[in-house]
Amino acid sequence: MRLAFSQRAAAIIMAAAAAVLVGCSTPEPAAVVVAPPPPPPVSLNEGVAQAASIYVAFIRDVGTIQAGFPDAASIQTAMHKGAAYDPATLSRGMIAYGSILALQSPEFVAGVRTFAVDPTIRAEVVASIIRDPAYAATLPGADVAAGLIIATLGQDIAALTTIADAVEADAYTIQERSDPRRRWATVPIVDRAVRLETAKTISAGQMLPSPDESARLFAAANSGTGLNLAPATTAPPYTPAVVHSLAIAALAALGAAGEDARANTEALSIETNAQFCLDMSKLNLFQCLAASRPSYEDMFCVGRHIVRDLATCTAQATVPVVTPVAEPLTASVAPVEGVALDAATASIAATQTGTR
């Protein structure tokens, strides 16, 4: 009996000792799960919005030009309004505006932001876009974003083309004997050289952003809403200008186009093809004015080398090459009978010289 008691006592003592040892041991540290930082918010710098506002405000202003000029002075007013652009600034503004249009696509923004969750992947995608803007056109939702750019600017193209048709037709109408405006429309323009130099001076002026339009576009870009665009989808290939717009928008969706990234967005807003078309338009306008004599020929210059050329250059910059909807600018000057024949001939000669 005593031996059995001793064994039980020993077992109790050993169990107690083990419990004490367990109580004194250091517990294993709990695993700490560190959540990855949230991706940066969509961010587009104010410089892009300001550049876009220049394009939007200028196209809207040109859209107020209407056929049916009541006097010679009104033709010159339209001339001054339409000539007041710098090709490089207007081209950059169009691409900047395109990027803001692209950011109105939830599909594109959401698709791009899937690459922003992992900081390493985000950095790689940002670097790829900066290295090759065409990379942005391969990202999810790019076809929807491109569709918004092409469809929205297509509305500008259609509106400008309608105005150009009306103004050029009016250059014929005003010569008819039944049109009372014929009395002043056929009179040779006084101080033609001064009129040309004035147009050149206005063309060289600085284009300033619209504060109200800049604020509206800046808010729309960073919120993804506010422009109320109808959905549109366009499959690739895309023009270089559309590609550059998509690249700026993709960087913004990745949070990599803020104020500290202006150098990248400004570089992407430059596209030589779009700018060259507008440069040629200005050259053609000056050649047209140099050859123009009566006011109805100046009317032709306004319709052809301001309004129509703006529509043509916008189309060439945004419409995919597989869908030719406009003749190249260098072939846009058709033979003219009775209306600005000399001006049209000079424009053709200037165009051919400029494309050699």
Side-chain angles (χ1 to χ4, degrees):
M1 291 289 296
R2 183 174 297 174
L3 179 58
F5 174 80
S6 297
Q7 289 177 340
R8 287 196 300 271
I12 293 172
I13 292 172
M14 291 179 66
V20 170
L21 290 174
V22 171
C24 294
S25 64
T26 303
E28 291 292 330
V32 178
V33 179
V34 179
V42 175
S43 179
L44 187 70
N45 65 71
E46 194 171 4
V48 177
Q50 290 174 341
S53 77
I54 292 175
Y55 172 83
V56 172
F58 178 75
I59 295 299
R60 181 185 300 137
D61 204 25
V62 172
T64 63
I65 295 175
Q66 298 296 327
F69 297 103
D71 49 42
S74 62
I75 297 175
Q76 296 307 312
T77 298
M79 182 79 68
H80 297 167
K81 179 185 296 184
Y85 73 89
D86 168 63
T89 302
L90 194 62
S91 173
R92 289 195 296 269
M94 178 181 62
I95 292 172
Y97 182 45
S99 71
I100 296 174
L101 296 175
L103 286 170
Q104 303 307 292
S105 166
E107 297 87 349
F108 183 61
V109 173
V112 173
R113 286 186 66 76
T114 59
F115 300 99
V117 177
D118 185 290
T120 300
I121 294 177
R122 171 182 174 272
E124 291 174 353
V125 174
V126 169
S128 296
I129 294 171
I130 294 173
R131 183 170 56 251
D132 180 11
Y135 183 80
T138 68
L139 297 174
D143 56 341
V144 181
L148 290 180
I149 297 171
I150 295 168
T152 304
L153 293 182
Q155 296 174 6
D156 292 339
I157 295 167
L160 291 172
T161 300
T162 298
I163 294 171
D165 289 343
V167 172
E168 290 183 29
D170 199 31
Y172 287 93
T173 302
I174 205 170
Q175 298 176 77
E176 297 176 358
R177 295 187 181 279
S178 60
D179 194 321
R181 299 174 300 163
R182 186 177 186 276
R183 292 193 302 273
W184 55 262
T186 56
V187 174
I189 296 170
V190 180
D191 296 328
R192 291 172 51 240
V194 173
R195 185 261 280 109
L196 174 58
E197 289 306 314
T198 299
K200 289 182 177 180
T201 299
I202 291 173
S203 296
Q206 183 180 9
M207 301 181 78
L208 299 176
S210 162
D212 291 343
E213 198 63 51
S214 294
R216 183 179 77 94
L217 294 173
F218 181 73
N222 288 283
S223 67
T225 60
L227 299 187
N228 302 319
L229 305 179
T233 302
T234 302
Y238 307 122
T239 62
V242 171
V243 165
H244 282 226
S245 292
L246 290 173
I248 295 173
L251 290 178
L254 292 166
E259 294 301 327
D260 59 343
R262 283 202 179 203
N264 290 333
T265 57
E266 288 176 2
L268 286 169
S269 69
I270 298 173
E271 202 287 301
T272 56
N273 293 320
Q275 182 177 331
F276 176 76
C277 185
L278 293 169
D279 281 327
M280 286 299 302
S281 174
K282 264 307 170 61
L283 175 61
N284 287 344
L285 173 63
F286 296 152
Q287 291 290 341
C288 192
L289 291 178
S292 177
R293 288 174 173 78
S295 289
Y296 72 80
E297 290 188 342
D298 268 15
M299 189 188 300
F300 169 82
C301 296
V302 171
R304 178 61 59 92
H305 295 304
I306 290 180
V307 187
R308 188 174 302 282
D309 280 1
L310 286 172
T312 300
C313 288
T314 304
Q316 289 184 14
T318 57
V319 177
V321 293
V322 295
T323 311
V325 297
E327 293 294 325
L329 180 59
T330 53
S332 65
V333 182
V336 180
E337 297 179 0
V339 181
L341 181 57
D342 292 340
T345 302
S347 297
I348 294 172
T351 302
Q352 292 173 342
T353 300
T355 55
R356 289 177 182 172

